[in-house]
């Protein structure tokens, strides 16, 4: 006989990262009951180990409505979660290393014009005047002055704390071992300690969302990835912008204390829950950092780390209702780019629970996209099957 505690609520949420926690906060503001289960500590997984870039620039155009919604939330962060989380609209500069890169940035500015990102293309000559600290590989770039940076280790847990203050019941270190649906509602169990019953379920478990989706007949090609991150010792302040590179690669920002936070490359999974930075990847990151920012030639890394993120092949999240089970909503697979849009994704999930629809376009993120091609192939095969004739 167990002493398992049973809770009944309006919405159960699996995952206490920035998406799940912001959904819990939004639901409580709507007066909807919430129980959230987190396998570790809220905000400690991909939401807490990421680089801390808060950017709209460079996102697929399909994500920009969500990113613009998130931009407004970030602008009121202290009022929303009780801390500014070291959020600064410092500017995000995407570096071009070739004329082809500059052409690509110009094309992106044209494609994103309807979203008023305020992108400014900067030529090589002007860049040398404004940023003498940049290495010679940079031949120009694109500045989004209103994008910026924040401290994920402060922001992500703060969303969960704000949701808890608003009345959400949050259970950390409660891994979900069992999930089911009895035709009327969802049942979640965490060991022998807790059972949760609710008519709605939000699957926001990040890299661990796959088994929940698969249980409800929605197996998607979710894979884990492990970013390599590093921070330098404090150096004299020289850079305000958060930096990225067109076409991918190193990214970095300098915080008020003078440390540089950098990322790039892939780490090594130790097991399903842990990862570490790879030595060769750290060496590559250091070489790229010096090439990009020569002033770092003699700076020391004082910490390196990795984590676990959930990636999908098209680098777009799954965000929206289940195709198989009413009351189930997914919010996962943000592929290393969920920190900025996470608060908006949480609000969208809350709207879907309450209204059955979202005020922000999310069609591109439907789980249906992973099944549409298979269904079409099956239909095509059926059309080619000869019709049996009567003897």
């Amino acid at each position: 006989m167990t002493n398992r505690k049973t809770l009944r609520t309006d919405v159960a949420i699996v995952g206490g990262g920035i998406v799940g926690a912001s959904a819990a906060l939004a639901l409580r503001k709507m007066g909807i009951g919430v129980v959230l289960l987190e396998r570790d500590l809220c905000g400690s997984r991909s939401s807490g180990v990421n680089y801390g870039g808060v950017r709209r620039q460079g996102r697929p155009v399909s994500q920009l409505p969500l990113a613009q919604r998130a931009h407004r939330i970030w602008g009121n962060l202290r009022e929303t979660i009780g801390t500014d989380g070291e959020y600064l609209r410092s500017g995000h500069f995407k570096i071009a290393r070739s004329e082809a890169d500059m052409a690509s940035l110009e094309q992106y500015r044209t494609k994103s014009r309807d979203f008023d990102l305020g992108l400014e293309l900067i030529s090589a000559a002007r860049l040398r005047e404004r940023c003498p600290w940049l290495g010679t590989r940079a031949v120009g770039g694109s500045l989004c002055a209103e994008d910026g940076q924040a401290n994920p280790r402060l922001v992500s847990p703060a969303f969960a704390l704000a949701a808890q203050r608003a009345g959400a019941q949050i259970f950390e270190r409660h891994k979900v071992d069992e999930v089911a649906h009895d035709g009327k509602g969802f049942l979640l169990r965490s060991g022998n300690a807790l059972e949760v019953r609710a008519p709605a379920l939000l699957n926001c478990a990040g890299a661990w969302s796959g088994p929940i989706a698969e249980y409800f007949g929605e197996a998607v090609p979710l894979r884990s990835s492990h970013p390599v991150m590093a921070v330098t010792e404090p150096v004299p302040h020289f850079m305000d912008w958060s930096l990225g590179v067109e076409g991918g690669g190193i990214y970095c920002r300098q915080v008020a204390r003078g440390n540089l936070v950098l990322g790039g490359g892939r780490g090594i999974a130790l097991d399903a829950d842990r990862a570490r930075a790879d030595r060769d990847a750290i060496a590559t990151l250091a070489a790229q950092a010096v090439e990009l920012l020569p002033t770092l030639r003699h700076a020391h890394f004082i910490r390196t780390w990795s984590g676990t993120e959930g990636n999908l092949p098209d680098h777009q999240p799954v965000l929206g209702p289940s195709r198989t089970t009413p009351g189930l909503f997914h919010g996962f697979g943000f592929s290393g780019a969920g920190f900025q849009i996470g608060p908006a994704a949480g609000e969208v999930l809350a709207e879907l629970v309450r209204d059955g629809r979202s005020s922000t376009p999310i069609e591109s993120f439907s789980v249906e996209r992973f099944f549409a091609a298979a269904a079409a192939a099956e239909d095509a095969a059926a059309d080619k099957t000869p019709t049996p004739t009567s003897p």
Side-chain angles (χ1 to χ4, degrees), residues 112-183:
S112 63
R113 188 157 290 163
D114 290 345
F115 297 94
D116 194 27
L117 302 184
L119 300 180
E120 176 191 0
L121 294 183
I122 299 177
S123 66
R126 287 180 57 218
L127 193 60
R128 295 286 165 254
E129 294 175 4
R130 292 179 66 171
C131 308
W133 38 265
L134 267 176
T136 56
R137 282 292 307 278
V139 301
S142 173
L143 175 65
C144 186
E146 289 295 302
D147 281 355
Q149 56 185 285
N151 187 336
R153 288 158 190 79
L154 298 178
V155 172
S156 300
F159 269 97
L161 289 171
Q164 193 169 46
R165 288 194 299 269
Q169 298 182 74
I170 294 180
F171 295 87
E172 296 181 315
R173 301 198 188 282
H174 277 68
K175 178 184 176 183
V176 174
D177 302 304
E178 183 181 348
V179 60
H181 190 272
D182 63 6

Side-chain angles (χ1 to χ4, degrees), residues 342-375:
E347 285 192 354
V348 163
L349 288 167
E351 284 182 337
L352 290 171
V353 169
R354 184 188 64 184
D355 305 328
R357 58 184 177 80
S358 169
S359 59
T360 300
I362 57 170
E363 292 78 14
S364 296
F365 317 132
S366 172
V367 71
E368 182 66 40
R369 71 186 189 270
F370 294 107
F371 302 93

